[in-house]
Amino acid sequence: MALCEAASGGCALLWPRVLLFGDSITQFSFQQGGWGASLADRLVRKCDVLNRGFSGYNTRWAKIILPRLIRKGNSLDSPVAVTIFFGANDSALKDENPKQHIPLAEYVANLESMVGYLQEAGVPRSRVVLITPPPLCEAAWEQECLLQGCKLNRLNSVVGEYAGACLQVAQDCGIDVLDLWTLMQKDSQDFSSYLSDGLHLSPKGNEFLFSHLWPLIEKKVSSLPLLLPYWRDVAEAKPELSLLGDGDR
């Protein structure tokens, strides 16, 4: 059944929601060919996909704003799936980028805190997907840093430590996880083509992420109906009979 509330002239349709929560890699995901845009396209007429990506943010800041995105005690506010995708900024080197850097232990605690808050807000762990940061192409990212007048401020080996910590949180919490860091480097392949600047995703990287994320999301939304009837199924003489129901079909 589609979510609805009483309204004159039929049932007001409230689209189920998928929430994408993360940093710039999430914020940019609605650009042409982005993984978030692909997800929204795949779920059209089933779910609204909400982009809550915040460029430059880390888990310390994310933990603070999450309660402003999903409120406790409001069942209509509860998404059917949530992705939590942080770590690219948390793993910045402390000496070179102290504002974004988050110590590894705090990163773990922050992820656990956000998963715990979601559960308290009515989003069970079965609806949550953690995504590890992707690997870092140091040569390409160093060029970006130099253009900004700074030194290389991230290392792929350090990013890997945060990715591993994210995996451990998912295992401890019993939730799904997409290990992007490992998958993109599988069999020691050259992963640079997955990245546009050494840190953010290229079109190929967006496609790669979507192809691996979709199976995890699909199993959380597979039971949701297509909202409102197919146009050929709308009653011609009295279309309101088809269009003022509960939205199923």
Side-chain angles (χ1 to χ4, degrees):
M1 300 290 285
L3 294 174
C4 61
E5 58 186 10
S8 60
C11 194
L13 287 172
L14 298 178
W15 253 240
R17 302 183 310 150
V18 172
L19 182 71
L20 311 181
F21 187 38
D23 51 35
S24 58
I25 303 177
T26 297
Q27 180 176 318
F28 301 160
S29 73
F30 270 30
Q31 295 176 351
Q32 184 174 2
W35 62 272
S38 296
L39 191 60
D41 179 62
R42 185 68 61 90
L43 292 174
V44 70
R45 286 186 62 179
K46 282 195 170 188
C47 296
D48 281 338
V49 178
L50 304 183
N51 186 329
R52 296 296 180 263
F54 301 89
S55 179
Y57 276 46
N58 55 37
T59 55
R60 182 182 295 164
W61 302 342
K63 182 179 71 171
I64 294 171
I65 64 173
L66 181 58
R68 302 185 66 188
L69 305 179
I70 300 176
R71 296 286 190 179
K72 291 182 182 179
N74 184 359
S75 61
L76 297 179
D77 202 35
S78 180
V80 295
V82 177
T83 60
I84 300 177
F85 189 3
F86 289 95
N89 298 316
D90 298 69
S91 59
L93 301 177
K94 182 179 180 180
D95 290 344
E96 301 299 334
N97 190 350
K99 184 167 186 175
Q100 290 180 306
H101 169 80
I102 298 297
L104 187 61
E106 183 185 346
Y107 172 71
V108 168
N110 291 339
L111 288 178
E112 292 174 341
S113 175
M114 287 189 281
V115 171
Y117 174 81
L118 288 173
Q119 192 167 20
E120 294 171 6
V123 183
R125 295 182 178 188
S126 60
R127 297 184 188 179
V128 179
V129 178
L130 291 184
I131 306 176
T132 76
L136 178 81
C137 180
E138 294 174 12
W141 185 243
E142 185 174 25
Q143 293 303 310
E144 291 294 318
C145 292
L146 291 174
L147 289 174
Q148 298 172 27
C150 61
K151 299 179 181 178
L152 178 65
N153 56 21
R154 289 165 170 81
L155 294 174
N156 190 40
S157 60
V158 176
V159 177
E161 294 175 6
Y162 284 71
C166 181
L167 281 172
Q168 188 62 53
V169 169
Q171 181 178 334
D172 293 344
C173 293
I175 58 180
D176 286 333
V177 61
L178 174 55
D179 185 3
L180 207 56
W181 191 85
T182 297
L183 286 171
M184 284 186 167
Q185 299 180 94
K186 188 176 181 180
D187 299 324
S188 300
Q189 66 177 311
D190 178 10
F191 60 85
S192 61
S193 62
Y194 292 130
L195 305 168
S196 62
D197 57 6
L199 174 65
H200 301 96
L201 299 181
S202 66
K204 183 178 178 181
N206 275 281
E207 183 179 353
F208 182 92
L209 194 163
F210 173 72
S211 68
H212 287 84
L213 178 62
W214 172 243
L216 300 177
I217 297 295
E218 184 180 25
K219 67 183 181 181
K220 303 181 190 307
V221 302
S222 59
S223 63
L224 296 176
L226 191 69
L227 294 173
L228 294 174
Y230 179 57
W231 71 272
R232 292 187 185 277
D233 297 329
V234 176
E236 186 173 354
K238 296 193 70 176
E240 61 271 17
L241 294 178
S242 304
L243 303 178
L244 294 181
D246 61 10
D248 288 1
R249 285 183 194 278

